[in-house]
Amino acid sequence: MPIARRTLLGAALAGSAALGTTGAGTAGAAPAGAAAAALARLLPRHHHQVAFRTVARRGGHDTFRVTGDAGRIVVEGTTPAVQLTGFHHYLRQVAHAHVSWRGEQTALPARLPAARTPVTGTANVAHRFVLNDTNDGYTGPYHDWDYWEREIDVLALHGFNEVLVYAGADAVYHRTFIEHGYSDAEIRRWVPGPAHQPWWLMQNMSAFGGPVSTHLLERRTALARRIVRRLRELGMTPVLPGYFGTVPPDFARRNPGARTVPQGDWGGFDRPDWLDPRTPRFAAVARTFYRVQQELYGATSMYKMDLLHEGGTPGDVPVGDAARAVEKALRTAHPDAVWAILGWQRNPRREIVDAVDHTRILVLDGISDRFPHVTDREADWGGAPYAFGTIWNFGGHTALGANAPDWAALYHRWRTKPGSALRGIAVMPEAADNDPAALALFSDLAWTDGPVRLDAWFGQWAVTRYGAHDAGAARAWDVLRRTAYGTSRADSWSEQADGLFGARPALTADRGATWSPRALRYDAAEFDKALPALLSVAPALRGSTAYRTDLVDVTRQCIANRSRLLLPRIKAAYEDRDHERFAALTRQWLDWMDLLDSVVATDERHLLGRWTAAARAWGTTDAERDQLQADALTLLTVWGPRPAADGGKLHDYANREWSGLVGGLYRLRWKTYFDELTASLTNDRDPNPIDWYTVESRWLQNPPTTRTRPQGDIVPLARTVASRL
């Protein structure tokens, strides 16, 4: 047995008793005090004033009830996570406080206020799923346990009970294929760096950013074990990857009887081969995969698999037969598990949902709020159960807003119509930890009896977010409701437009990422009114991280929107060959970029330095630290090698307005471009073409040192921006 495999196996066996072999989700399986322990982490000065009690489900549904006098609050709920959900509803409704994944307001009185009327809630769906397959890449591939511990607490507070866990899957594949003819080194070369692993797990690519070290595999395994253990403690279900046929190169030659189907290209990357699920060799690999996974992390009750994702080809394999074989392998290992599959583009194909057991499948619909032609999911998927989902963010873009009117209009109507197969919600932004209002609103759908009224919801959110009624806060959030959160799927978009400062320079640039909206989806001038309204919030309500987070976001968005107003003017000046006007406008552009970099530098979540420092912290040698930093930085910029960046059009897919990117690579690109255009005007010639991939690669090879701590005060910076709008 190779050393790396033996080390991982030993770690797994040492912890197998603690992990158990059954999935989470029942209140009786959770240890006493899990909710209390979470509250002690979240509210260390007040947690002793709250008592948690476990109660039975009501009609099969999760439920909570919060009662009590001042300083003596009693929370009843069906699991520790549901108890935390109930307490959070009490915080929001009674105490005007809350916790989110970006900013919180927890300025509470010494004694928690009484719940004069019981705060109650019953989940209207069983499945409350969260996180996208891409999350571990775009949110933070090098997050440690401190991050995940809080993230899980926040997700519990928001009512989720099924959490996708991709961390640690690399170790499962590593051990699995060592047992099927590969060496330790060969598999570690095949596994991508952590920032790119989500796309490997979706069978889109392999190897890039690797090889991964034995130390990295072991550390990621340890982190994953802590994540799944905590989820189980809270009564939440860790959703783990299932096996659907991805194999390393040369698998058929090394494994007689195997039959593989080449998968071609994805975004400039060679896709891994697909092992025909109908063959005995597939059954053998799947058996190993699920055994290894269970040894490392225990079993669970939901597994995520997407056959033929984003252009995968079945070759001559009948898709329905393949789906039945994949399902059989899952049922052999975990007879009662639910197969979760993403509803995205053509996925899942109708042949898949027609072939499998509808009582144990859940389609996570990622385009419920995107395309107006989506009107009847029961017809689309033959009555298969599905979760009403949203992807309001792609690649980790910092754009603010979502199609909230669609959420409010569609969810209740689709859930309550005769014959509805809607059984859940699915919050799946490609990157988490953004847009706290969107998180709170969408998660509330599952706990609201009847349709959500957006005017009332946003009115209450302004109170909850900052701690009390305030006219300025109310005005600001009403503006945001009508603009950034007032768009709809009528234009076939679910995300807001990214800014142009992060685009590869061109006078005709209309988006940063290739697949982003080409224009703002709301009135920029109307949006601008939110900034002075936020600045007018009473000084007593400005001390929370919630207020300062929102002020950064709105200020940042106002500046980003300027890019779409200013670039056409720059283009006109250049085409008019007006040297003086062109020089003045391009100076304005770079000045706005400098101001934007200063604005986002005030918020730790907008610091490129934190991203790279986190990556370097996982390395054990200088060479590995450099490799991991390159893995993390590449994802945010060129995404991959030139064929992916240029041919696959993946460059800047994950663009974001962060300090260190805006003032670093983005400013370098625009300054280089404007200098060349200026030279072309001066010398009366056409501008020379610029190889942007070369510019970007040079910057990646020697990135400047960037700050890891916030700098500056957002309030005076926001006032400066407001005065210039």
Side-chain angles (χ1 to χ4, degrees):
M1 180 184 296
I3 293 175
R5 182 188 159 209
R6 186 166 61 243
T7 303
L8 288 169
L9 177 59
L13 294 178
S16 61
L19 284 171
T21 58
T22 59
T26 59
L39 194 60
R41 293 188 291 270
L42 295 164
L43 296 177
R45 295 192 302 111
H46 295 85
H47 70 96
H48 61 280
Q49 300 177 33
V50 184
F52 293 98
R53 297 175 184 169
T54 301
V55 297
R57 286 185 170 86
R58 180 180 302 165
H61 297 284
D62 281 322
T63 185
F64 62 76
R65 186 172 188 267
V66 185
T67 57
D69 299 325
R72 299 177 63 183
I73 304 302
V74 177
V75 182
E76 298 172 319
T78 44
T79 68
V82 172
Q83 292 160 18
L84 289 170
T85 304
F87 181 75
H88 199 223
H89 277 255
Y90 154 82
L91 271 188
R92 290 169 61 188
Q93 296 174 28
V94 178
H96 302 325
H98 78 294
V99 176
S100 188
W101 57 16
R102 283 208 64 229
E104 64 181 39
Q105 199 299 108
T106 54
L108 295 162
R111 298 177 70 201
L112 292 173
R116 302 187 189 282
T117 302
V119 178
T120 62
T122 299
N124 56 47
V125 285
H127 300 286
R128 303 179 300 279
F129 180 96
V130 67
L131 300 184
N132 196 298
D133 297 78
T134 65
N135 184 74
D136 273 11
Y138 292 139
T139 304
Y142 296 97
H143 282 320
D144 58 15
W145 173 242
D146 286 346
Y147 165 85
W148 275 105
E149 182 170 55
R150 179 175 175 82
E151 188 79 352
I152 292 168
D153 288 344
V154 169
L155 297 178
L157 290 170
H158 284 79
F160 297 104
N161 64 348
E162 296 161 352
V163 182
L164 186 63
V165 181
Y166 267 10
D170 44 8
V172 178
Y173 274 92
H174 174 253
R175 278 188 46 199
T176 294
F177 286 108
I178 283 176
E179 295 191 25
H180 289 271
Y182 293 82
S183 71
D184 162 68
E186 286 175 321
I187 298 302
R188 288 192 292 104
R189 283 196 299 270
W190 180 60
V191 175
H196 289 81
Q197 282 188 21
W199 295 271
W200 165 64
L201 294 172
M202 291 186 283
Q203 204 177 37
N204 291 346
M205 57 169 291
S206 63
F208 185 81
V212 294
S213 68
T214 300
H215 165 82
L216 190 66
L217 284 174
E218 292 178 343
R219 185 171 171 186
R220 285 173 57 78
T221 300
L223 174 63
R225 294 180 66 240
R226 295 185 80 171
I227 292 170
V228 298
R229 182 185 295 117
R230 177 57 53 77
L231 291 171
R232 292 185 173 107
E233 288 173 357
L234 289 169
M236 303 165 80
T237 298
V239 181
L240 302 179
Y243 185 71
F244 56 94
T246 304
V247 292
D250 205 28
F251 185 84
R253 187 185 66 79
R254 300 187 190 207
N255 291 268
R259 182 177 184 276
T260 57
V261 180
Q263 291 299 292
D265 172 271
W266 177 87
F269 289 95
D270 292 330
R271 300 178 68 137
D273 289 345
W274 183 46
L275 179 60
D276 186 342
R278 302 171 300 168
T279 62
R281 183 59 64 178
F282 176 91
V285 174
R287 192 161 51 246
T288 305
F289 180 94
Y290 287 119
R291 170 178 54 79
V292 168
Q293 187 181 60
Q294 184 162 332
E295 288 172 352
L296 289 172
Y297 310 123
T300 190
S301 56
M302 182 177 284
Y303 292 82
K304 174 76 167 52
M305 294 181 284
D306 296 327
L307 291 185
L308 308 172
H309 177 78
E310 289 194 349
T313 175
D316 61 359
V317 178
V319 174
D321 291 346
R324 277 187 286 270
V326 169
E327 182 183 40
K328 181 180 179 181
L330 175 62
R331 301 279 169 256
T332 300
H334 307 291
D336 299 319
V338 171
W339 175 357
I341 187 166
L342 179 64
W344 172 250
Q345 295 183 349
R346 294 179 60 202
N347 193 39
R349 303 180 188 214
R350 185 60 187 266
E351 305 100 300
I352 295 175
V353 291
D354 284 349
V356 301
D357 181 358
H358 283 190
T359 67
R360 288 177 292 181
I361 191 172
L362 181 69
V363 181
L364 307 166
D365 189 359
I367 57 176
S368 303
D369 63 342
R370 178 156 186 173
F371 296 113
H373 68 260
V374 175
T375 58
D376 191 343
R377 282 320 202 185
E378 288 73 23
D380 293 340
W381 295 322
Y386 74 98
F388 180 86
T390 179
I391 306 176
W392 71 66
N393 168 287
F394 287 79
H397 301 158
T398 36
L400 190 66
N403 290 349
D406 292 325
W407 301 351
L410 299 178
Y411 177 75
H412 179 71
R413 185 165 77 240
W414 288 6
R415 184 180 66 82
T416 58
K417 73 177 184 179
S420 174
L422 197 161
R423 299 291 182 270
I425 63 168
V427 169
M428 300 182 292
E430 285 198 339
D433 301 346
N434 55 69
D435 220 327
L439 173 69
L441 174 58
F442 201 90
S443 62
D444 277 357
L445 296 176
W447 297 92
T448 301
D449 184 14
V452 172
R453 286 184 51 235
L454 292 180
D455 55 350
W457 192 93
F458 278 98
Q460 181 58 41
W461 177 251
V463 178
T464 298
R465 188 70 172 155
Y466 310 135
H469 288 277
D470 180 89
R475 286 198 308 275
W477 278 101
D478 189 59
V479 169
L480 295 174
R481 174 185 66 83
R482 292 183 286 104
T483 55
Y485 296 94
T487 53
S488 81
R489 65 181 189 157
D491 59 0
S492 296
W493 293 106
S494 62
E495 72 164 332
Q496 301 300 347
D498 52 11
L500 301 184
F501 294 126
R504 276 187 175 176
L507 292 177
T508 56
D510 56 10
R511 62 206 185 280
T514 298
W515 293 278
S516 290
R518 298 189 173 204
L520 277 182
R521 303 176 59 225
Y522 55 81
D523 186 331
E526 192 64 23
F527 180 93
D528 288 347
K529 297 175 183 177
L531 184 53
L534 267 185
L535 286 167
S536 75
V537 167
L541 302 182
R542 298 180 192 170
S544 69
T545 57
Y547 175 78
R548 301 183 82 82
T549 291
D550 292 350
L551 192 56
V552 169
D553 256 344
V554 171
T555 305
R556 178 205 51 72
Q557 192 65 57
C558 287
I559 300 176
N561 292 349
R562 299 277 78 64
S563 66
R564 293 183 174 274
L565 302 176
L566 188 55
L567 190 58
R569 297 171 59 197
I570 293 174
K571 179 176 181 291
Y574 180 80
E575 291 175 343
D576 291 342
R577 309 199 67 78
D578 186 330
H579 295 227
E580 185 175 343
R581 183 157 54 97
F582 180 79
L585 289 170
T586 54
R587 278 197 304 272
Q588 284 185 39
W589 179 277
L590 296 175
D591 286 347
W592 276 117
M593 292 190 76
D594 292 341
L595 185 53
L596 175 58
D597 197 77
S598 297
V599 164
V600 293
T602 65
D603 187 334
E604 66 178 4
R605 294 290 184 92
H606 288 79
L607 302 181
L608 180 64
R610 293 180 74 249
W611 180 268
T612 54
R616 297 187 68 82
W618 283 71
T620 56
T621 66
D622 286 343
E624 186 178 23
R625 284 187 279 271
D626 290 344
Q627 174 190 328
L628 300 182
Q629 175 176 285
D631 176 47
L633 275 178
T634 299
L635 187 72
L636 301 189
T637 53
V638 295
W639 215 101
R642 186 186 289 273
D646 293 348
K649 301 180 180 179
L650 291 175
H651 68 85
D652 298 300
Y653 183 89
N655 75 83
R656 50 195 69 182
E657 285 144 1
W658 280 5
S659 178
L661 275 178
V662 174
L665 176 62
Y666 298 169
R667 194 183 195 284
L668 170 66
R669 289 194 305 201
W670 282 103
K671 180 66 164 57
T672 300
Y673 183 61
F674 290 149
D675 285 349
E676 176 55 31
L677 293 185
T678 299
S680 77
L681 288 176
T682 301
N683 298 310
D684 195 23
R685 61 168 173 80
D686 290 337
N688 293 319
I690 299 171
D691 182 346
W692 291 117
Y693 187 82
T694 295
V695 172
E696 293 151 355
S697 296
R698 287 173 179 164
W699 186 86
L700 285 169
Q701 290 164 10
N702 189 27
T705 301
T706 54
R707 62 178 62 90
T708 58
R709 294 180 181 275
Q711 176 178 301
D713 185 345
I714 184 55
V715 174
L717 286 167
R719 288 183 180 134
T720 297
V721 172
S723 71
R724 296 183 184 179
L725 294 179

